[in-house]
Amino acid sequence: MGGTLTPAVRALLDCYDGERPGVKASLARILMHGKMRGSGKLVILPVDQGFEHGPARSFASNPAAYDPHYVFELAIEAGLSALAAPIGLLAAGADRYAGEIPLILKANSANSLGTVKDEAITGTARDALELGCSAIGYTIYPGSDRQYDMFEEVRAGAAEAKANGLAVIIWAYPRGGVLNKDGETALDVVAYGTHIAALLGAHIIKVKPPTALIAEPEARTAYDMTGIDYTALRQRIAHVMQAGFDGRRIVIFSGGPAREDAAVLAEVRAIRDGGGHGSIVGRNAFQRPRAEALELLRQICAVHLGENE
Amino acid sequence: MGGTLTPAVRALLDCYDGERPGVKASLARILMHGKMRGSGKLVILPVDQGFEHGPARSFASNPAAYDPHYVFELAIEAGLSALAAPIGLLAAGADRYAGEIPLILKANSANSLGTVKDEAITGTARDALELGCSAIGYTIYPGSDRQYDMFEEVRAGAAEAKANGLAVIIWAYPRGGVLNKDGETALDVVAYGTHIAALLGAHIIKVKPPTALIAEPEARTAYDMTGIDYTALRQRIAHVMQAGFDGRRIVIFSGGPAREDAAVLAEVRAIRDGGGHGSIVGRNAFQRPRAEALELLRQICAVHLGENE
Amino acid sequence: MGGTLTPAVRALLDCYDGERPGVKASLARILMHGKMRGSGKLVILPVDQGFEHGPARSFASNPAAYDPHYVFELAIEAGLSALAAPIGLLAAGADRYAGEIPLILKANSANSLGTVKDEAITGTARDALELGCSAIGYTIYPGSDRQYDMFEEVRAGAAEAKANGLAVIIWAYPRGGVLNKDGETALDVVAYGTHIAALLGAHIIKVKPPTALIAEPEARTAYDMTGIDYTALRQRIAHVMQAGFDGRRIVIFSGGPAREDAAVLAEVRAIRDGGGHGSIVGRNAFQRPRAEALELLRQICAVHLGENE
Amino acid sequence: MGGTLTPAVRALLDCYDGERPGVKASLARILMHGKMRGSGKLVILPVDQGFEHGPARSFASNPAAYDPHYVFELAIEAGLSALAAPIGLLAAGADRYAGEIPLILKANSANSLGTVKDEAITGTARDALELGCSAIGYTIYPGSDRQYDMFEEVRAGAAEAKANGLAVIIWAYPRGGVLNKDGETALDVVAYGTHIAALLGAHIIKVKPPTALIAEPEARTAYDMTGIDYTALRQRIAHVMQAGFDGRRIVIFSGGPAREDAAVLAEVRAIRDGGGHGSIVGRNAFQRPRAEALELLRQICAVHLGENE
Amino acid sequence: MGGTLTPAVRALLDCYDGERPGVKASLARILMHGKMRGSGKLVILPVDQGFEHGPARSFASNPAAYDPHYVFELAIEAGLSALAAPIGLLAAGADRYAGEIPLILKANSANSLGTVKDEAITGTARDALELGCSAIGYTIYPGSDRQYDMFEEVRAGAAEAKANGLAVIIWAYPRGGVLNKDGETALDVVAYGTHIAALLGAHIIKVKPPTALIAEPEARTAYDMTGIDYTALRQRIAHVMQAGFDGRRIVIFSGGPAREDAAVLAEVRAIRDGGGHGSIVGRNAFQRPRAEALELLRQICAVHLGENE
């Protein structure tokens, strides 16, 4: 859509002063699109779960979603800010739906068949440009034995992306190393992942909503000293925003496995109240029948926009 | 052969909208060749078993096949869609049989002497172009400890291939990681392999016909929810086609070790009935005496064409 | 600031005879800036602790420091010689504060979530130039199993940096290999790290103040032979300066975790008395309230300048 | 020497139809040189044992051979087809003996001091061209844990060599993986190594004469089915030639450790009778006194030429 | 110094026929310099022990040597053939002493803090050219698990060096693999290391004086067969020269840890009597007070020149 930038979007772009104009234009393309247009908030549809968890676990409950065109149309009809997916899926619809929705190339991927905590680079800035994408996205696993190789791959990919006017999104998912399963979503760890992504130069950071757990003993001391209460998710979201350069970086939150509408919306409200920039909703969108998905996405957008749900 | 595309082939090529014209021309060259010409189905002769299992296990039962010219002539005389083989074998006939059959460079290879689950890159897009190939093919082992390196090698090779107008085929053979031997051909795992190949950007995907086993516990839940019956191979093939972007990607099935004609043909009929795009028949072709092989290949083509066998 | 070089600065630059003029100009830019201007000493603010230890452990005690602008302004207002940080943090202020303080791109980083003793390259000379930096910095872990890979990465990065007129700083932190935790700060080990950094071609070397321990048995013999007393920190600092090409390389010392002002200043006096070229003060600066931090930094500068504290 | 190609050589070159003219010219240079000139057979002197086993084990029994000039002169005086050696040895005589004998750069090497089953790349096509070589040679260890890396190095080196008009020789020495020491020279394994080398694109393949052992259980079944007798070495050689694309690739056999003349000649006769293209004779040449070596080499050539020994 | 080459130097250079003129000029620059000028022998000062063993173990006994200028001046005043050191040390004096002594860039380095038997590449041919060096030097560890990677790094570095007119020196230090500590300096092993260095293409080879031990059982047989006596160091040196292409490669010997003058000189006489091309003397030079060092170096040169000591 584009058009004159709103003050909210201009304020966000000002956080990226010094960045190339082409990158700012790409960010603006996402922020000025669909229902969230101009609000400074964004809601993204990601469809990489077929890679991460397999096709049946992702699409069997709503088989229409096996078809890439379905997910393009879902994102477009719901008026979302962007669609994020691996190269093969984007290539299956990028031509037909060219220009109808901003695209994000998810450029590395893992799967549940293997046991190594790593991802494969499956796309490049060049691929993203050929497919007409506005951004490129990478997952990192801070803590894993391969983390430094992952950071270096992301660094190289991000540098090429920025030099070509693409925005860079990092999915920060700490795991491995000193962390057990619960630790992966601990407050200190989600904040740490957010901060690492920001320090690596991400424009948009995607993390999971944190639990009230503190995983690293040294971090517990730091949190205790402040005396701040992190009982409510809203409070924890606000802390994650601190870790995202005190709000100077766009941080959005994922929705996790499919759940009841009410649970999803309650979480979205906490993200909004904590100052989060938006949501990235995959399984809670494409695993529902189309009409239900559109209605839930409508409500999620409304919450972020502060409208009547 | 070429000529005006049939509606069946045009419909298939439309699934690759946005792809480079040169790649579409390469796909058309395969789809418009031989007995399967214009049907939207294809039957391929692969001869890489000498690398994978050794020469005696591959050719001792029909020693004529030690000669690369024999397999070229077998594929040509049987009117198959293409011949796939490693660089050394193609180089031994590419000049003599130039233009007589589409060629596919099998660009990575493993062998049975080693114990590491990986493959070596043994050819490049440049090699494929020099040999006059229409496509390049790679094996991936989703699940293995080296899988992400394999994906990255395939990504780089496929990108170079596409940029040069070559079609890309992925042989998806899950193994290692959480999988035991039976799990490698489980329904969920074959579907997963198919989906990964599609997400990696393959134009043609080659998998094994799946058994009725479900290997991943989490996947079992997903399949149970749907209540769909996967007792018949035909039904399982249809599910694999779903995992191949709901039919938007060409998926073909391998025949496995040499068996009785009747068993081979029964499997091919199930592939046809489940909506598979064709067969890739190696050992059941070159391990039989020439006349027998030609007759069986004739029958396989007839099944896929829906003709009188 | 710049201007005619003082004799102290000219003497220092003469130690780098043969180096490219662009590099000398970059060194001069740092040495001729702020309160330490022209003294031949320098005080740097590093802000990479958010990467190394996490955001809460770094900033929770003074939440204003979550904002990159805060640390830019702290370094500027305190009149420090330079600000050192990873790419993402520098990018968040390089444009707004362009030209107000020399910048050092900290080009590799690790974190406390993982267990592998290595760092990831997170920035390049090209990045440093784009951000207007005067220098690029790398951490090395002499002793660790990855040390030789780290040295090779630093070598390549440093060569590119020097060829582009950037100064090169090495943070030498021995760990792993034959060393236990105490050994990491032993006198012989800190001196060794300093010497390795000098031999690798660093212009500025950053190490921790050494304890009186000697970690390597063979080194103990060498120290015993000399009969020199290393009881006082001042004496140990002087020895580290020997290891830095007998004073021909700029060696500065870090301050470690936040402590009482008196302890910090006592250590700084020993660094001064031992002939050290300055301090790099992170946590003792940004973890204090702004006014306290400015006052402590003022005192540190005064000590190094030999002024009334 | 060169000159009009004989029918035997032309027939061999025709097996490489489609290959670049420069490569054919290089093959012809070897096949049209020395005593074996025009026969379609070849006898090569390899001198890389100093690298593989050490200098004393290689040359102590005939110290004259420590001097690279000695081995150049031995190969020239014996009228052999070519001399193969690592870069350092070739460089010590390539200028002085320029044009007197075709040279083969042995481009990777291992030694007996280490325990890792791998080789180092020690030369390139560029080196071979500078030294005036006609071919480049690589060892592969099918079965070893590093085999796929080796194949990839050979692929890259061979592609560069062919593009520059050099012939490519592969020394195929299976080891490691599922093989024990005896298995390395088993009939099925030597045939397998030969076939892999052919599939990798080698123009000339060098293997050891196989024993009557069958190492892989699955291969035993295949051999049993055929009912063919492999008691005589001649029969085993003939089978290896099958594995070499049924005679379409030049396959030569090594002589192994120094032995009695009679034993050497008996083996050479079996190689000739089995259809082998020649011999590569190192230790049985340079470990004998010069006159004895020349006489044995004369007899070996005579056997391959079918002349009166 | 340069000037018309002496017959001794011309004879040495003739061993490198076919090598680039620029490389011969670099060798000549070293061979025509200082006290050894024109003799065909050379004495080199290496100063990389600070990297390998740490600064205190290297310089504490003569603290003046902490200063790079000291070692430059020591080598110049002693009239040595060249000074060899890592990039950082050379860079600290290359400008000031430009043209006063040939320089050798020691381009890889290890240290005693780690436990991995490998070295890091710390310099390149480009660095050597910028510093005005005549040669570049690499250490290899034949036998170690990383040996093949080291050989490949040296190959690449040496190729670039030669193409730019630099001579190449290899420090051959076998260790690891089948060797225990004593085996590292065994006669067969030192000869083996020398031979590998020659085969890798080194112009100058540096090894340790061998003991009378034979480490490899297979080598023992070879030595026993010859019936030659290796009791005297002189005899062992002569054998190492055989392994150096029978004298066609320059082989020089290191002096090891600091010892009494008499012991050093006795060893140097054996090197001379065995036909060695010279000595490389580090710790026995810079660990003595300046006057003593100059006197010992004068005597070492005199021994090699066959002059009155």
Side-chain angles (χ1 to χ4, degrees), chain C residues 21-74:
Chain C
V23 173
K24 289 186 191 170
S26 288
L27 283 170
R29 211 142 47 218
I30 295 169
L31 291 164
M32 293 299 288
H33 184 85
K35 285 199 184 130
M36 307 305 295
R37 180 171 200 275
S39 68
K41 302 293 176 75
L42 63 172
V43 178
I44 293 172
L45 177 71
V47 191
D48 59 346
Q49 296 80 356
F51 211 126
E52 307 288 324
H53 309 138
R57 286 172 62 193
S58 303
F59 308 123
S61 60
N62 179 32
Y66 280 114
D67 182 350
H69 288 194
Y70 176 86
V71 296
F72 268 86
E73 290 171 9
L74 181 65

Side-chain angles (χ1 to χ4, degrees), chain C residues 241-249, chain E residues 63-64 66-68:
Chain C
M241 299 313 293
Q242 281 187 311
F245 288 173
D246 216 12
R248 290 189 189 281
R249 288 293 170 267
Chain E
Y66 280 115
D67 182 349

Side-chain angles (χ1 to χ4, degrees), chain C residues 96-146:
Chain C
R96 174 145 178 179
Y97 303 98
E100 299 195 32
I101 187 165
L103 299 178
I104 299 164
L105 177 62
K106 181 72 200 326
N108 63 355
S109 298
N111 63 55
S112 67
L113 297 174
T115 57
V116 175
K117 286 190 173 77
D118 195 5
E119 299 234 331
I121 295 293
T122 57
T124 65
R126 176 65 32 205
D127 295 325
L129 293 167
E130 290 193 0
L131 292 168
C133 296
S134 299
I136 192 164
Y138 297 93
T139 295
I140 57 171
Y141 295 150
S144 85
D145 286 359
R146 304 283 179 93

Side-chain angles (χ1 to χ4, degrees), chain A residues 231-252:
Chain A
T231 312
L233 176 56
R234 169 181 49 78
Q235 295 168 313
R236 300 195 294 271
I237 296 288
H239 174 59
V240 172
M241 300 313 293
Q242 281 187 313
F245 286 172
D246 216 12
R248 291 190 189 280
R249 289 294 171 264
I250 299 173
V251 182
I252 58 178

